[in-house]
Amino acid sequence: MYDPDAGPGGAPVSFLLSNDQFNDLMRAFPGPSRDGHEVDIRKELDGLRELILKEDKRLAQQPSRAQIHAALDQFACLVCEFLNCAQKVDFDWGAQNPPIEPAGPLSLAYSFPSRLRALAGSARQAGNAELIMLADAADRLAQYLTLLNEPAQHRIFQDKTFRDFPNPCHYEVREFADAMRIAHQLKRATRSALETSKKCGGPLPRPMLLYAVISLGELIERYGGRFTHNPYLGLEYKGTPQTAAGQFVLNFLRTCVPSITAPSVCSLMAAAIERRNRTRDRKSGIRSTSF
C-alpha cells in the first residue's frame, strides 16, 4: 500500500497499522482461534511494527557500509600522508601536558587529535618547508579523526591490532616518536578493519526483523496456527514463502519495509524456525533430566 507520509527507506512514519492494512492481514492470519481476539492481535502487530520502524529510522541516520568503507579508506590515506611527511624530518618535539587519564585504544579517538594539533603548532613555528608540510598533514589527520563517523571509529579502535597492546603506556603520546608509533598502528588497524568489514558485505544487519518474525510465529501458534516454512512449490524452489504462515509474515513485513524481498523473508523464516526448534530442544532436555 502506498503511504503519502513515507519516511526513511519508504517506510511509513506512523507506527500503527491502518484499518485497511490490518483487515488485509487478518484475512490471511493463519490462526483458527483468532475470533474475538482481534484487538489483542492488532495491539501486538502494532507493537512489532513500531519496533521495526524505529530501527528503520535509526539505520537511516547511520552511514551505509559503503560510506564507512570510504571513510576508512580516506583515513588510511591521511595517516600515510602524515607518516610520509614525518619520515622526512628530524623533529625534537615533546608534549607539554602529560596525559591525565588512563590511556587506551578508545581514548585515542579524542586524545590523539589534540596531540597532533600540538605537534602541528610546534612544527609550524619552526618555519622550514618540510616541517610546515608535516604540520599541515597532522592538522588534516586530526580534523578527519575528530569528524570520523562513529561506526568507522569503532572498527578501527576495536580492531585486533589494538587488542595486542594492553599496556596503557603504549597509547600515550609524549614525544614525536610516540606520535609516529601510534600513526603506524592506526595505519595497520585501519587497513585491517577495512579488509574485515569488506568481507562481511551486504547491508547492515537488522536484528529487529528476526525478532519480529520469531514473535509472529509465537502469535500464530498462540491462536492455534502452525508456524511452518517452505520455499518450494513441489520440487521447484521458488524463493518465496509458500505456507500460510510464511505468506502472512511476508505481508506483515511489507507493511513495515516495503522494499523487503521474498527471499529475505524466506531466510528470516528459516532462522526463526531454527531458533524456535533449538529452544524447544533445550527445554525438552531440561524436562527429561530434571527427575
Side-chain angles (χ1 to χ4, degrees), residues 17-53:
L17 289 163
S18 69
N19 289 334
D20 288 342
Q21 286 175 320
F22 178 70
N23 291 333
D24 287 344
L25 288 171
M26 289 307 293
R27 277 192 285 271
F29 184 73
S33 305
R34 69 188 188 185
D35 291 345
H37 299 282
E38 288 82 0
V39 173
D40 292 333
I41 293 173
R42 183 166 190 167
K43 183 178 180 180
E44 187 152 351
L45 293 178
D46 281 338
L48 290 174
R49 192 167 188 270
E50 178 179 358
L51 291 174
I52 292 172
L53 294 184

Side-chain angles (χ1 to χ4, degrees), residues 20 24 29 48 50 73 76 83 92-94 97 99 123 125-126 129 139 162 176 180 183 247 250 268 288:
D20 288 342
D24 287 344
F29 184 73
L48 290 174
E50 178 179 358
D73 194 52
L83 286 171
D92 184 16
W93 172 81
N97 301 315
Q125 289 178 0
D139 277 336
F162 280 103
F176 187 49
M180 290 188 64
Q247 291 171 8
L250 174 61
L268 289 167
S288 65

Side-chain angles (χ1 to χ4, degrees), residues 3-17 49-50 53-54 56-57 255-256:
D3 190 329
D5 297 321
V13 173
S14 171
F15 294 145
L16 302 180
L17 289 163
R49 192 167 188 270
E50 178 179 358
L53 294 184
K54 283 184 175 179
D56 195 48
K57 293 177 72 174
T255 71
C256 309

Side-chain angles (χ1 to χ4, degrees), residues 20-283:
D20 288 342
Q21 286 175 320
F22 178 70
N23 291 333
D24 287 344
L25 288 171
M26 289 307 293
R27 277 192 285 271
F29 184 73
S33 305
R34 69 188 188 185
D35 291 345
H37 299 282
E38 288 82 0
V39 173
D40 292 333
I41 293 173
R42 183 166 190 167
K43 183 178 180 180
E44 187 152 351
L45 293 178
D46 281 338
L48 290 174
R49 192 167 188 270
E50 178 179 358
L51 291 174
I52 292 172
L53 294 184
K54 283 184 175 179
E55 180 184 62
D56 195 48
K57 293 177 72 174
R58 178 180 60 81
L59 290 174
Q61 296 170 355
Q62 292 185 357
S64 66
R65 199 182 296 275
Q67 290 171 325
I68 294 171
H69 293 169
L72 289 172
D73 194 52
Q74 178 63 22
F75 182 68
C77 291
L78 291 174
V79 173
C80 289
E81 179 187 23
F82 171 76
L83 286 171
N84 288 338
C85 292
Q87 290 165 357
K88 296 176 183 178
V89 300
D90 183 14
F91 188 35
D92 184 16
W93 172 81
Q96 294 183 352
N97 301 315
I100 58 176
E101 297 180 3
L106 295 179
S107 69
L108 286 176
Y110 61 86
S111 65
F112 195 52
S114 64
R115 294 301 192 200
L116 287 172
R117 293 188 184 100
L119 187 154
S122 298
R124 198 166 275 114
Q125 289 178 0
N128 72 59
E130 289 185 336
L131 284 176
I132 290 176
M133 289 178 62
L134 172 66
D136 291 342
D139 277 336
R140 283 191 291 270
L141 180 58
Q143 181 179 16
Y144 200 84
L145 179 54
T146 301
L147 300 177
L148 190 62
N149 62 65
E150 186 176 341
Q153 282 193 10
H154 180 81
R155 282 166 169 76
I156 293 172
F157 295 112
Q158 292 294 323
D159 184 75
K160 60 183 180 180
T161 306
F162 280 103
R163 293 198 298 270
D164 292 338
F165 297 95
N167 189 342
C169 294
H170 181 83
Y171 303 101
E172 294 179 356
V173 180
R174 297 176 179 272
E175 55 188 18
F176 187 49
D178 294 332
M180 290 188 64
R181 186 188 71 251
I182 295 297
H184 277 293
Q185 193 169 347
L186 282 172
K187 177 183 175 181
R188 292 192 299 271
T190 305
R191 291 302 185 193
S192 174
L194 184 58
E195 181 180 346
T196 300
S197 185
K198 283 183 175 180
K199 287 179 181 177
C200 296
L204 294 173
R206 298 194 58 174
M208 199 53 66
L209 289 179
L210 178 58
Y211 171 80
V213 175
I214 293 171
S215 299
L216 290 171
E218 295 172 350
L219 180 68
I220 290 168
E221 292 184 334
R222 190 183 314 146
Y223 293 100
R226 296 182 64 229
F227 186 61
T228 58
H229 170 56
N230 182 11
Y232 289 86
L233 183 60
L235 298 177
E236 183 181 0
Y237 179 77
K238 291 293 187 179
T240 187
Q242 300 297 312
T243 65
Q247 291 171 8
F248 173 77
V249 169
L250 174 61
N251 291 338
F252 173 76
L253 291 181
R254 280 184 171 167
T255 71
C256 309
V257 187
S259 61
I260 195 167
T261 64
S264 296
V265 175
C266 285
S267 298
L268 289 167
M269 288 287 294
I273 288 174
E274 180 184 5
R275 182 169 297 190
R276 178 201 64 184
N277 293 342
R278 200 163 56 234
T279 301
R280 287 179 178 176
D281 289 343
R282 280 202 303 268
K283 289 181 178 178

